[in-house]
Amino acid sequence: MPALDLINVSKIFGSVKAVDRLNLQVEQGECFSFLGPSGCGKTTTLRMIAGFENLDEGELYCDGKLFSSSYKRFYLPPEKRDFGMVFQAFAVWPHMTVYDNVAFPLHLKRLQKQEIKERTEMALKATSLTKEAEMFPQKLSGGQQQRIALARAVAINPKVMLLDEPLSNLDPHLREEMRFEIKELQTRFGFTVIYVTHDQSEAMALSDRMLVMKEGVVQQIDNPLKIYDNPANKFVFSFIGLSDFIPVEVKDGKVFVKDAEDCGPVNGQIPPEYDPSISYDIACRPGEIDFSPTGVKATVVRRTYLGDIVDYLLRIGSVDIRVQKPRRRSLATVGETCHLKFNRLLWYDHSEETASKT
Ligand SMILES: Nc1ncnc2c1ncn2[C@@H]1O[C@H](COP(=O)(O)OP(=O)(O)OP(=O)(O)O)[C@@H](O)[C@H]1O
Ligand SMILES: [Mg+2]
């Protein structure tokens, strides 16, 4: 039985369809991410699961038990759903110590004193906050404050943990560290996690499976590698990882970059489903392009060192693309002409939208 089952779930705000007929099953103990650009409906979906929003259409089951139904006009209030939750902004109470911040929801649940003590101490230990228990949140770093919110959710001992951009206020280094801590907590306690983020590397690192959304509509549900390697469409390709799109035209069975015929043909096969009435972009990851003795001609416009990786901006005719190569293999200098070989090219309709990354 799935931990969560969303059937044909929609939410409408005025003229905005924030979530459009979402069907999703999340398995027990799974770490599942919602991914997509700002405003695509991630938080709205999470709020419907948590019970803060009613469904305009559809049904939601948790462990086979009905939690919300638009058809039956049924709605279980949030406090009866027993989910652990951490939301976008830090939600710590500044006038309470770290200990009381974690224990407070357990008091609300009217648990026995001894149980409150045990659960609070366990959650503080699990999030490395035991030493800070008697301190007030303002005295703590951003990462420690974020851990209070996590500890509070862990103390409830939920079967399902709902996390909405729980690391969005942290610097990149702490974010990375906390991401592993969340994963470790999940493995240790075995809860099901719904993790909302618009950071694709975070989603890829944490998730067993993820869902990519655009304007309330699911684009793809799969494991991170499948989504990266076999994106369902141009939007998903452009949202996950870095991407290059190059407008092309086919002449005499060869592929040329548009308006750059003197740069020579592009290597690679024309796909069997090629339709001459459509304008195409070829798409590639910057790491999947090699400098080579032959191949399409390009000029190096910019070269940037990103630690171990060298990032090139290259121009083919009037099209700019990014290429990334390990530093020890970097060859080209600014102004130089080079030739490129493309590995793993995908073909997309030029008029199809890409994701504007947030
Ligand atoms: N209470 C509300 N009233 C009216 N419109 C809303 C409300 N909540 C959300 N929306 C709209 O619904 C859409 C989805 O919003 P949502 O907050 O779910 O996006 P999100 O994917 O979480 O974005 P972000 O990454 O910026 O947090 C947006 O167009 C938003 O403006
Ligand atoms: Mg949001």
Side-chain angles (χ1 to χ4, degrees):
M1 189 186 301
L4 285 171
D5 195 357
L6 287 83
I7 303 165
N8 224 24
V9 167
S10 295
K11 183 75 198 175
I12 299 156
F13 295 113
S15 60
V16 177
K17 202 150 194 191
V19 178
D20 193 357
R21 283 163 291 164
L22 170 64
N23 285 289
L24 170 68
Q25 296 191 326
V26 179
E27 301 305 325
Q28 307 279 352
E30 190 172 28
C31 187
F32 194 99
S33 293
F34 293 170
L35 193 60
S38 190
C40 74
K42 305 180 294 292
T43 296
T44 304
T45 307
L46 207 70
R47 287 175 58 80
M48 287 194 284
I49 296 172
F52 296 126
E53 299 280 0
N54 237 327
L55 318 187
D56 287 322
E57 191 191 345
E59 291 194 318
L60 164 70
Y61 292 84
C62 180
D63 263 344
K65 190 170 164 229
L66 185 66
F67 271 30
S68 302
S69 170
S70 68
Y71 317 119
K72 298 184 181 132
R73 298 190 173 276
F74 178 77
Y75 163 75
L76 191 72
E79 63 275 12
K80 298 225 166 113
R81 298 192 180 202
D82 258 347
F83 292 143
M85 275 176 266
V86 178
F87 280 109
Q88 224 155 342
F90 297 148
V92 292
W93 294 298
H95 59 286
M96 288 186 195
T97 62
V98 171
Y99 186 96
D100 289 339
N101 257 283
V102 177
F104 186 66
L106 306 179
H107 285 291
L108 286 185
K109 284 165 93 57
R110 297 180 189 282
L111 297 181
Q112 299 280 331
K113 264 191 184 157
Q114 184 57 26
E115 187 170 3
I116 293 178
K117 184 169 179 289
E118 279 170 20
R119 285 207 200 183
T120 305
E121 285 173 358
M122 173 279 295
L124 290 173
K125 191 158 173 256
T127 51
S128 310
L129 281 171
T130 307
K131 273 205 305 226
E132 290 77 14
E134 294 313 317
M135 293 171 78
F136 285 90
Q138 306 93 296
K139 298 254 167 85
L140 301 179
S141 72
Q144 287 167 324
Q145 291 191 33
Q146 197 78 70
R147 281 203 208 105
I148 301 174
L150 265 177
R152 206 163 48 198
V154 167
I156 291 170
N157 192 23
K159 287 183 90 170
V160 179
M161 185 81 99
L162 306 176
L163 306 174
D164 190 355
E165 312 239 10
L167 311 181
S168 57
N169 292 327
L170 303 182
D171 69 50
H173 184 70
L174 250 183
R175 270 182 96 109
E176 235 219 325
E177 204 175 293
M178 288 288 294
R179 158 199 306 179
F180 292 117
E181 288 179 21
I182 289 175
K183 188 77 195 164
E184 205 181 291
L185 283 176
Q186 189 231 347
T187 316
R188 177 142 36 120
F189 293 101
F191 38 67
T192 306
V193 173
I194 307 284
Y195 194 92
V196 170
T197 179
H198 54 237
D199 180 332
Q200 43 97 15
S201 57
E202 205 163 278
M204 298 212 38
L206 275 169
S207 323
D208 298 310
R209 282 189 308 151
M210 55 198 207
L211 169 164
V212 183
M213 247 179 158
K214 176 194 169 195
E215 293 166 9
V217 181
V218 171
Q219 306 293 303
Q220 191 167 5
I221 298 177
D222 216 324
N223 69 48
L225 270 185
K226 284 236 179 82
I227 289 186
Y228 189 81
D229 285 340
N230 300 306
N233 56 36
K234 194 176 184 182
F235 175 88
V236 175
F237 182 87
S238 64
F239 190 76
I240 307 290
L242 292 171
S243 46
D244 284 316
F245 291 100
I246 307 172
V248 290
E249 52 199 354
V250 173
K251 278 188 192 153
D252 303 328
K254 287 187 178 148
V255 184
F256 294 93
V257 176
K258 225 170 186 172
D259 305 322
E261 274 174 56
D262 56 340
C263 294
V266 175
N267 68 287
Q269 300 288 316
I270 299 166
E273 62 277 13
Y274 171 76
D275 174 351
S277 67
I278 294 175
S279 292
Y280 285 94
D281 285 346
I282 50 171
C284 197
R285 305 277 183 207
E288 298 272 17
I289 303 171
D290 289 333
F291 292 111
S292 127
T294 57
V296 70
K297 199 162 73 182
T299 313
V300 181
V301 178
R302 186 185 69 201
R303 186 175 71 175
T304 314
Y305 289 101
L306 309 173
D308 284 341
I309 298 281
V310 187
D311 182 280
Y312 294 96
L313 185 70
L314 304 179
R315 189 160 295 160
I316 309 169
S318 58
V319 182
D320 285 348
I321 61 163
R322 303 258 302 271
V323 171
Q324 293 195 335
K325 294 276 111 194
R327 191 166 69 180
R328 63 200 144 71
R329 274 204 238 143
S330 72
L331 296 164
T333 54
V334 172
E336 196 180 313
T337 300
C338 54
H339 296 270
L340 303 175
K341 193 167 153 277
F342 296 87
N343 304 303
R344 271 191 62 83
L345 276 180
L346 294 169
W347 288 58
Y348 292 113
D349 188 331
H350 177 71
S351 62
E352 222 183 297
E353 261 180 67
T354 60
S356 53
K357 286 180 191 160
T358 52

